Amino acid sequence: MAATVGIVGVGLVGSAAAYAIALSGIAGRIVLVDHLPALAQAQAEDIAHAVPFAGATQVEAGDYDKLAGAEVVIIAAGVGQKPGETRLALLARNAAVFAGVVGEVRRVAPQAVLLVATNPVDVMTEITTRLSGLPPGRVIGSGTILDTARFRSLLGRHLGVSPQSVHAYVLGEHGDSEVLAWSTARAGSLGIRDFAAQVGAAITDAVRAEIDDGVRRAAYRIIAGKGATNYGIGAGLMRITRAVLRDEAAVLSVSIRTGVVTGVREVALSIPRVVGRAGVTADLMPELDAKETEALNRSARLLKDTQDALP
């Protein structure tokens, strides 16, 4: 039976995810739900008109009851990020939205893996875990999957190789305190510095600083230029959805409530994890150098302090 994917909240991020999933052909049916039914209907029709060029996915709009049987439900509801606004500043405005959404999704699709896309995504993942009562592995935040893609893209560009040949991760918060794990980055079978030396593209302090800024400040630049980020995260949500629907056991940098990270307990943040049909089935903590470990600890404590302040 063809898989059903639900998407709640079909603004820029939700609709981009729906479009990417529809064209990828990984789902037989996509159901769009929004507090503005006319928007959901318009997005469904527009995306459905693109499907004949790629496949046969059925795209429709509806209410929560139409999510029955969904294997993955993406939650992209909430208010958008304003220019210059940090993701953590969004918390107060988005937490209330989820109180109604999560209950309705659980009512009609209790078996679904929940995929959280709303910012600040790590805190919203923790909120969703609390509200849903699901095991942490079945409530997945998109986390740093996009930051990791940006890191690999910029490294690949500098080295002159495909980003798909670069294995590097961004850890911690999806936001200002995120940690680029340079010490474990590799290209092909080599550590990143050895690879860079062999292809004549040395990674100097200046190069590191430029790539770090390119990753860390990307969202702010994009939001300043066009008001939101949507295509990159839409593709990232498709990638996570594919890992679940196809039971890929893929290693992805996603956010879930984590038992302990650098001594910080019960905090939602990103590290590499194995993702498949049951959601996250294993955590893969990389061996970091001392500075990266300290930075990850700061990121985890920042998120933990925010999460602990939630009622």
Side-chain angles (χ1 to χ4, degrees):
M1 183 176 178
T4 295
V5 173
I7 301 177
V8 180
V10 291
L12 288 171
V13 171
S15 62
Y19 183 68
I21 292 168
L23 294 193
S24 73
I26 60 174
R29 178 171 171 261
I30 302 171
V31 178
L32 308 184
V33 178
D34 198 275
H35 75 289
L36 299 174
L39 174 62
Q41 184 62 40
Q43 298 282 34
E45 288 190 30
D46 196 14
I47 295 169
H49 297 161
V51 169
F53 298 107
T57 302
Q58 178 183 346
V59 186
E60 61 185 273
D63 57 17
Y64 284 101
D65 288 338
K66 282 201 170 184
L67 297 177
E71 282 132 285
V72 176
V73 175
I74 297 170
I75 305 178
V79 292
Q81 189 174 16
K82 298 177 181 178
E85 183 181 32
T86 67
R87 289 177 175 85
L88 292 178
L90 287 173
L91 174 60
R93 298 196 293 136
N94 275 327
V97 175
F98 272 49
V101 170
V102 174
E104 285 294 289
V105 172
R106 290 284 292 137
R107 176 180 66 83
V108 297
Q111 76 292 337
V113 170
L114 304 185
L115 179 48
V116 181
T118 302
N119 278 322
V121 70
D122 302 293
V123 181
M124 298 311 297
T125 300
E126 169 63 20
I127 289 173
T128 305
T129 304
R130 296 184 190 183
L131 290 170
S132 68
L134 287 168
R138 288 184 58 198
V139 181
I140 304 173
S142 55
T144 60
I145 193 165
L146 178 54
D147 309 278
T148 290
R150 290 166 175 160
F151 190 19
R152 294 176 180 183
S153 176
L154 292 174
L155 275 173
R157 185 182 303 173
H158 174 73
L159 298 172
V161 298
S162 166
Q164 294 181 341
S165 295
V166 177
H167 310 288
Y169 293 93
V170 178
L171 315 175
E173 179 199 6
H174 172 53
D176 297 337
S177 70
E178 64 191 20
V179 180
L180 278 64
W182 284 94
S183 64
T184 60
R186 303 183 70 82
S189 61
L190 298 175
I192 205 71
R193 287 191 178 278
D194 289 342
F195 188 98
Q198 291 195 31
V199 299
I203 297 180
T204 62
D205 289 344
V207 168
R208 280 186 55 148
E210 182 179 358
I211 291 176
D212 185 280
D213 181 75
V215 174
R216 197 178 302 277
R217 305 296 300 175
Y220 293 106
R221 284 192 291 269
I222 294 169
I223 290 168
K226 70 170 198 170
T229 62
N230 57 314
Y231 296 120
I233 188 57
L237 292 166
M238 180 278 293
R239 181 67 188 91
I240 301 168
T241 301
R242 190 181 84 189
V244 174
L245 295 183
R246 295 185 176 175
D247 198 18
E248 289 183 343
V251 177
L252 304 172
S253 56
V254 293
S255 181
I256 69 168
R257 181 196 286 172
T258 310
V260 59
V261 175
T262 66
V264 181
R265 297 185 177 277
E266 301 297 328
V267 59
L269 48 60
S270 290
I271 58 173
R273 308 180 195 272
V274 179
V275 181
R277 176 74 67 180
V280 170
T281 57
D283 297 340
L284 305 171
M285 187 65 193
E287 294 184 8
L288 306 175
D289 64 27
K291 287 185 177 180
E292 292 166 348
T293 300
E294 182 181 354
L296 183 57
N297 178 263
R298 287 196 301 270
S299 186
R301 290 192 178 280
L302 170 66
L303 289 167
K304 178 65 172 176
D305 288 346
T306 303
Q307 292 169 19
D308 284 350
L310 297 173

